[in-house]
């Protein structure tokens, strides 16, 4: 009902972002649980940059290229934001311990706190959206 307007799109993006924050919380909890495991590499979740790229592709209008073969790649390919999935990536670039483990418990705890604050903020935004709808419907 609301998926084809900005209200529905905003709620859909918030819903997907909240799901990603839950996944990110699980990944960080897994990192903390394995803080003493030798050769364990921490994981991170990438989502926001891909979502921003997909949303930007909807705005940009590039000139149409003449395609004379079906195997030609078009210049202006719009990426649907619904196709963007979170990616769990291993962090091989940083190393904090001599045993090959790169989990820093203090950093992960700080990231958990930031994750909780982002999730709370998004839940308040969703509640605000529905309270505005409730005001309009009265």
């Amino acid at each position: 009902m609301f998926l084809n307007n900005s209200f529905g799109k905003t709620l859909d993006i918030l819903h997907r972002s909240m799901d990603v924050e839950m996944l990110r919380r699980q990944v960080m909890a897994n990192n903390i649980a394995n803080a003493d495991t030798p050769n364990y590499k921490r994981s991170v979740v990438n989502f926001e940059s891909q979502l921003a790229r997909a949303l930007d592709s909807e705005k940009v209008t590039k000139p149409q290229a003449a395609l004379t073969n079906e195997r030609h790649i078009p210049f202006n390919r719009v990426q649907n934001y619904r196709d963007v999935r979170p990616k769990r990536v291993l962090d091989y670039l940083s190393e904090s311990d001599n045993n090959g483990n790169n989990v820093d418990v203090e950093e992960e705890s700080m990231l958990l706190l930031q994750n909780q604050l982002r999730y709370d903020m998004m839940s308040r935004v969703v509640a605000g959206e529905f309270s505005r709808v409730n005001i309009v419907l009265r």
Side-chain angles (χ1 to χ4, degrees):
M1 175 173 160
F2 294 117
L3 289 180
N4 294 328
N5 56 26
S6 65
F7 175 76
K9 186 175 182 179
T10 301
L11 282 182
D12 191 31
I13 291 172
L14 283 168
H15 177 252
R16 292 172 190 276
S17 298
M18 290 173 76
D19 286 346
V20 169
E21 292 301 325
M22 291 298 293
L23 173 66
R24 189 170 283 140
R25 181 179 306 168
Q26 292 173 355
V27 167
M28 286 186 273
N30 193 30
N31 288 340
I32 290 174
N34 289 297
D36 294 330
T37 305
N39 296 321
Y40 179 81
K41 301 297 179 198
R42 67 185 290 266
S43 298
V44 293
V45 175
N46 290 337
F47 177 71
E48 287 81 9
S49 60
Q50 296 171 7
L51 179 64
R53 194 173 309 127
L55 292 174
D56 286 343
S57 73
E58 295 174 355
K59 298 176 188 172
V60 175
T61 55
K62 295 179 181 176
Q64 291 286 334
L67 304 176
T68 57
N69 190 326
E70 69 268 1
R71 292 183 290 177
H72 287 170
I73 299 172
F75 293 146
N76 55 351
R77 188 179 300 172
V78 176
Q79 182 182 7
N80 190 348
Y81 74 92
R82 292 184 183 106
D83 296 334
V84 175
R85 301 282 181 252
K87 289 186 180 174
R88 191 174 176 164
V89 180
L90 288 176
D91 180 12
Y92 284 107
L93 300 178
S94 62
E95 187 168 324
S96 61
D97 288 342
N98 291 333
N99 63 1
N101 188 319
N102 62 355
V103 176
D104 184 3
V105 175
E106 290 180 16
E107 181 182 345
E108 295 293 329
S109 299
M110 183 187 68
L111 292 173
L112 267 174
L113 179 62
Q114 290 175 350
N115 175 278
Q116 181 64 42
L117 292 173
R118 275 194 306 269
Y119 191 86
D120 288 346
M121 187 257 320
M122 284 188 263
S123 64
R124 287 182 188 168
V125 170
V126 170
E129 292 284 331
F130 280 109
S131 70
R132 282 191 283 277
V133 169
N134 194 13
I135 289 171
V136 169
L137 293 177
R138 285 184 194 173

